[in-house]
């Protein structure tokens, strides 16, 4: 059985992340989504909330995509390479939206291999999600904009709750509706 880890901050999970997990699940027997802290990012949602949102998204797809029923979700408590060793993962799978992502990911991939020999496999992100980033999603929700076609169900509500706590006030509801062709 080949185990791989799809690691990330997932603060929050987006449809771009979910697409990478789905594609990994079609190629590998055992896929573990690893929710980890990135010291370069401040973080909004706590790790367990992030994990619950990923679990809900994976569970939702498992009804129609059998491969998703094999996907597990866990918090990475320390170094990613230690987590890989503990669960017997042979590789890390990461999506790349473009060159900027590669520039950020390459040093981590090389460092992880240096530390433990674990390899990183890069998948090109689907062009439909090339503009989708967790940081942008949070900024849009913070300002009352619509992101429901960019993230799995439940994410917007969790972001609104967390941002409301952070700001000490409720976050404005989006005023524009989603249409099949974009924004009304
Ligand atoms: O979604 P991100 O922020 O690009 O994911 C980066 C992440 C969380 C996978 C990375 O920061 C990480 O692996 N963190 C765990 C701690 C660790 O192993 N740090 C050394 C990385 S070489």
């Amino acid at each position: 059985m080949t185990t791989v880890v799809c690691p990330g901050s997932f603060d929050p999970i987006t449809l771009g992340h979910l697409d990478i997990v789905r594609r990994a699940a079609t190629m590998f027997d055992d896929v573990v989504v690893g929710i980890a802290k990135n010291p370069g990012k401040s973080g909004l949602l706590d790790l367990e909330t992030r994990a619950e949102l990923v679990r809900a998204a994976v569970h939702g797809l498992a009804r129609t995509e059998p491969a998703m029923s094999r996907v597990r979700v866990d918090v990475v408590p320390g170094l990613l390479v230690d987590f890989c060793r503990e669960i017997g993962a042979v590789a890390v799978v990461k999506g790349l939206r473009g060159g900027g992502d590669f520039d950020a990911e390459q040093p981590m991939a090389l460092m992880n291999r240096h530390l433990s020999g674990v390899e990183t496999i890069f998948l090109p992100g689907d062009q439909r999600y090339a503009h989708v980033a967790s940081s942008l999603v949070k900024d849009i929700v913070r300002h009352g904009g619509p992101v429901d076609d960019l993230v799995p169900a439940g994410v917007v509500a969790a972001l609104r709750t967390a941002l409301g706590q952070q700001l000490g006030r409720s976050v404005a509801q989006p005023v524009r509706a989603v249409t099949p062709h974009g924004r009304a």
Side-chain angles (χ1 to χ4, degrees):
M1 194 165 74
T2 306
T3 301
V4 298
V5 177
C6 291
S9 306
F10 300 101
D11 184 38
I13 184 169
T14 68
L15 294 186
H17 293 131
L18 197 55
D19 179 62
I20 296 297
V21 175
R22 292 167 79 180
R23 288 159 59 194
T26 64
M27 291 185 284
F28 299 100
D29 308 315
D30 189 29
V31 174
V32 180
V33 181
I35 319 287
K37 272 200 179 133
N38 182 337
K41 298 178 180 174
S42 56
L44 173 65
L45 302 171
D46 61 66
L47 291 180
E48 202 40 59
T49 301
R50 300 182 205 180
E52 279 309 315
L53 291 170
V54 178
R55 280 189 198 106
V58 167
H59 188 72
L61 284 178
R63 290 187 207 115
T64 50
E65 298 179 27
M68 292 301 275
S69 61
R70 289 184 278 106
V71 174
R72 292 177 285 135
V73 181
D74 217 340
V75 168
V76 177
L79 280 179
L80 180 60
V81 291
D82 290 338
F83 181 75
C84 289
R85 194 180 303 117
E86 275 161 31
I87 66 168
V90 296
V92 165
V93 176
K94 266 274 195 172
L96 298 179
R97 287 164 298 191
D101 280 355
F102 180 76
D103 290 344
E105 295 295 339
Q106 189 193 32
M108 289 194 275
L110 293 175
M111 183 57 79
N112 286 331
R113 193 176 63 166
H114 170 83
L115 290 173
S116 72
V118 75
E119 292 284 3
T120 297
I121 298 164
F122 292 126
L123 296 182
D126 190 301
Q127 283 302 297
R128 284 176 299 167
Y129 309 120
H131 59 298
V132 181
S134 300
S135 55
L136 294 179
V137 164
K138 284 181 283 193
D139 197 35
I140 293 164
V141 172
R142 184 178 286 113
H143 295 289
V147 296
D148 29 58
D149 54 348
L150 306 178
V151 293
V155 167
V156 174
L159 287 180
R160 287 171 54 80
T161 300
L163 284 166
Q165 284 166 358
Q166 191 184 67
L167 298 171
R169 60 167 171 80
S170 62
V171 177
Q173 294 268 13
V175 287
R176 286 157 294 161
V178 178
T179 72
H181 306 295
R183 302 291 170 191

